[in-house]
Amino acid sequence: MPGFIQSIERAAAVLRLLGTTDRPLGLKEIAAALDLPAPTAHGIVRTLREVGFVEQDMETSRYRLGPGLRELRSGGWDHHDLRARAMNWADSLAGSTGLAVHLGVAVTRSVRLVHHVFRPDGSPQRIRTGEEQPLHATALGKCLLAFAPVATPHARELDLQRWTGRTCTTVPALEAHLAVARRRGWASDTGEYEAGVGGAAAPLRASGGIVVAAIGVVGPVEELFGLGGELRPWLLEQMVGAAREISAALVEGQ
C-alpha cells in the first residue's frame, strides 16, 4: 500500500495551522510551529498562495487562509463575483462582434445564464440572466459538458429533448459533438435550441486550469457560420481572446 505524500501532508498541516488562529502568521512562525526548514515552509505557502488557498498581507508579509478554500466549500465561484470579473470583457465582446453575449455556469442538468449582454443593434430583446437552458442543445452547455466533466452529468444521464430539427437527441451524436469541441477548444450550436439562432462558446478557467464557466456569442446562424458551417475566423478570435482575458482575471482573483 503506498505511503503518504509528504508534500501534501505538510501543505495540509500549514492550512490547519492557519485555520487555528485569528491572526496572520509570519513565515518563521509557520516553520517553527511545524518544525520545517524555512525554505520548505516558504515553498509550501508560496504554492498555496498561488492557488488561492493562502493569501499574504502585502504590508506585513504574514499569511492567512485565502478565498480559494471558501470557494471549495461553496461549490465554486460566487456567481456575482464571476459576473463582475467578466462584465467588462463581455461588454467589449458584444460591441466588437455585434452579437449578444451569454455567460453561463453548470447547475445540475442545465446551464444557468449569470450574465447577458444585449445585441447592440437596438433590436427588441429580453433579459435572459437567471434563465436555465439545456446542456445538450446550446453552445454554452456543450462547452461545459466538454470541458467541465466533473461539474456536469455524463451524456447518457441527460434528457436529450428535441428542441429543433438540429438538436442532438442521441448519446452518440452528442458525444461526437463534444469530441469535436475538445479537439478545437470551443463548442457551437447551429440552431439546436432555437431555430435559426446559433452560438459559440469557450471555457473560462480559474486557478489550476479548472473550468468554472463558459462565455459565448449568440445570434442568427448565418451571421456566425460560413457556408461550410465553420465559425467565422474573426469571430472565433474575438471570443477566444475574451475567454483568455477573463480566465486571467479569475486566476488573478484567487
Side-chain angles (χ1 to χ4, degrees), residues 3-76:
F4 291 114
I5 299 175
Q6 188 180 55
S7 59
I8 296 177
E9 188 177 16
R10 287 174 169 176
V14 170
L15 293 175
R16 290 195 183 97
L17 176 65
L18 293 175
T20 61
T21 178
D22 293 330
R23 66 179 180 85
L25 298 179
L27 182 62
K28 290 183 179 179
E29 290 179 285
I30 295 172
L34 300 177
D35 194 23
L36 293 173
T40 300
H42 182 252
I44 292 171
V45 296
R46 183 180 60 187
T47 302
L48 291 172
R49 184 189 63 197
E50 289 299 315
V51 299
F53 290 172
V54 164
E55 61 183 6
Q56 185 178 25
D57 187 305
M58 291 298 101
E59 292 185 3
T60 66
S61 296
R62 293 176 177 268
Y63 298 92
R64 56 178 170 260
L65 294 180
L69 292 175
R70 294 192 294 272
E71 290 156 15
L72 285 179
R73 290 195 295 269
S74 64

Side-chain angles (χ1 to χ4, degrees), residues 101-114:
V101 173
H102 290 172
L103 180 71
V105 298
V107 287
T108 315
R109 284 172 166 74
S110 61
V111 52
R112 177 177 296 159
L113 304 189
V114 296

